[in-house]
Amino acid sequence: MWLSSSTVGRKVVMSVSGLFLILFLTFHMSMNLVAIFSEEGYNAVCEFLGANWYALVGTLVLAAGFFVHIIYAFWLTMQNRRARGEQRYEVVDKPKSVEWASQNMLVLGIIVIGVAFFHLYHFWYNMQFQEIIGNHTVDLEQCALGAGMAVDGLSVHNGYDFIVAMFSNPVVVVLYLIWFVAIWFHLTHGFWSAIHTLGWNNDIWFNRWKTIAKVYATILCLGFAFVAIWFGFIY
C-alpha cells in the first residue's frame, strides 16, 4: 500500500496523524481552562466524557492516531538512519538553516510519550477506565503522589479534585512544565512540517506557516502551563 510502502506515503500518514493530535490538544487545553473558571462546568465536561459510547469511540480513535504517529515516527527515523549508513557517525557541521527541534524530534517525541503515559495513568486510568470496569469511586491519595491529600470515595467524574490533588505536588507541576516545553518544540517543527508534506504551501507561505506554527504552539502550551501553575502555586 502506498501509504506504508513509500517514504512519501509514510510522511503523509505522519502529517495527518500529527495534525489530528494537534486538534485533540487544542480541545484538551480548552477543556482544562474551564476548570479555572468553573468547578461545576469542568466536572460536567468530565461526566460527558465518561464511559459513554461516543466518548469511548473517541478514545479509541485518539489512541489509534497516537500509536500510528509513534510507529511511523520510529519507522521513518530508522529508515533515515539506514539511508545515511556510515555517514551518521561522521562529525559534520550542522546547517544553520536546520532548526534544533528538527534535529531532535525523536528525543522530543520520547519525552512527550513518557510523560503522556504518566498523565494517562493518573487521569484517564483513574477516571474513564475505572468507570469502564464498573468502579464509580477511587482513592484520591493514589493520584496525589504523596502530596498529603487523601479522599476516599471520590467520584470518577470529579475531575476538578483530581487536578487539585495532582498539582498540589510541586514536583509534578515542574514535570508537567518540562513536558509542555518539549511539546512546544515538537509542535513548532511538526506543525509546519506536516503542512509542507501535504503541499499546502509555496515560497510565500513557507515562512508564514513556520510563524503560524510557533504562535499556535505557544498559545496551546501557555494554556496548559497556566492551568498547572494556577493549581500548583496560585489556587
Side-chain angles (χ1 to χ4, degrees):
M1 185 178 179
W2 174 73
L3 290 176
S4 60
S5 61
S6 70
T7 300
V8 175
R10 287 190 282 270
K11 287 184 177 180
V12 168
V13 173
M14 274 282 293
S15 300
V16 173
S17 60
L19 292 174
F20 167 72
L21 293 175
I22 288 174
L23 288 176
F24 166 74
L25 287 174
T26 303
F27 165 77
H28 197 7
M29 184 271 289
S30 302
M31 170 185 166
N32 286 359
L33 288 176
V34 173
I36 293 177
F37 301 100
S38 173
E39 176 179 352
E40 294 76 14
Y42 184 74
N43 285 338
V45 174
C46 290
E47 185 174 3
F48 177 75
L49 296 176
N52 307 299
W53 70 266
Y54 44 83
L56 293 177
V57 170
T59 299
L60 291 175
V61 172
L62 176 62
F66 184 68
F67 282 109
V68 165
H69 194 72
I70 294 173
I71 292 170
Y72 272 74
F74 278 99
W75 193 352
L76 285 169
T77 299
M78 294 303 104
Q79 182 185 37
N80 291 336
R81 286 179 177 269
R82 287 196 300 267
R84 291 177 59 189
E86 295 298 326
Q87 292 181 356
R88 69 178 182 271
Y89 299 109
E90 297 179 1
V91 178
V92 296
D93 294 330
K94 296 179 180 179
K96 294 182 180 180
S97 59
V98 179
E99 297 179 346
W100 181 87
S102 175
Q103 300 169 0
N104 296 277
M105 285 295 281
L106 183 62
V107 175
L108 290 169
I110 292 174
I111 295 174
V112 171
I113 293 169
V115 186
F117 279 108
F118 171 86
H119 178 69
L120 286 171
Y121 173 71
H122 287 101
F123 283 96
W124 178 81
Y125 174 78
N126 285 292
M127 295 178 71
Q128 189 184 71
F129 180 76
Q130 294 301 319
E131 187 177 0
I132 292 173
I133 63 177
N135 297 330
H136 297 285
T137 59
V138 293
D139 183 357
L140 187 60
E141 186 175 13
Q142 183 182 13
C143 303
L145 295 177
M149 296 186 64
V151 180
D152 294 328
L154 179 70
S155 170
V156 295
H157 295 148
N158 192 347
Y160 188 86
D161 281 351
F162 275 95
I163 292 181
V164 172
M166 178 63 68
F167 294 124
S168 63
N169 188 336
V171 175
V172 174
V173 177
V174 172
L175 177 62
Y176 268 81
L177 292 178
I178 294 173
W179 188 35
F180 300 144
V181 172
I183 290 176
W184 184 87
F185 278 110
H186 197 76
L187 289 182
T188 53
H189 174 73
F191 188 106
W192 77 259
S193 180
I195 297 297
H196 178 67
T197 297
L198 296 174
W200 298 341
N201 69 330
N202 50 40
D203 292 339
I204 296 176
W205 276 92
F206 184 79
N207 289 325
R208 289 180 180 178
W209 278 120
K210 281 191 173 184
T211 301
I212 292 172
K214 290 180 179 179
V215 171
Y216 195 90
T218 299
I219 294 174
L220 192 66
C221 292
L222 282 179
F224 280 121
F226 182 67
V227 174
I229 293 172
W230 176 271
F231 285 100
F233 303 113
I234 301 175
Y235 174 79

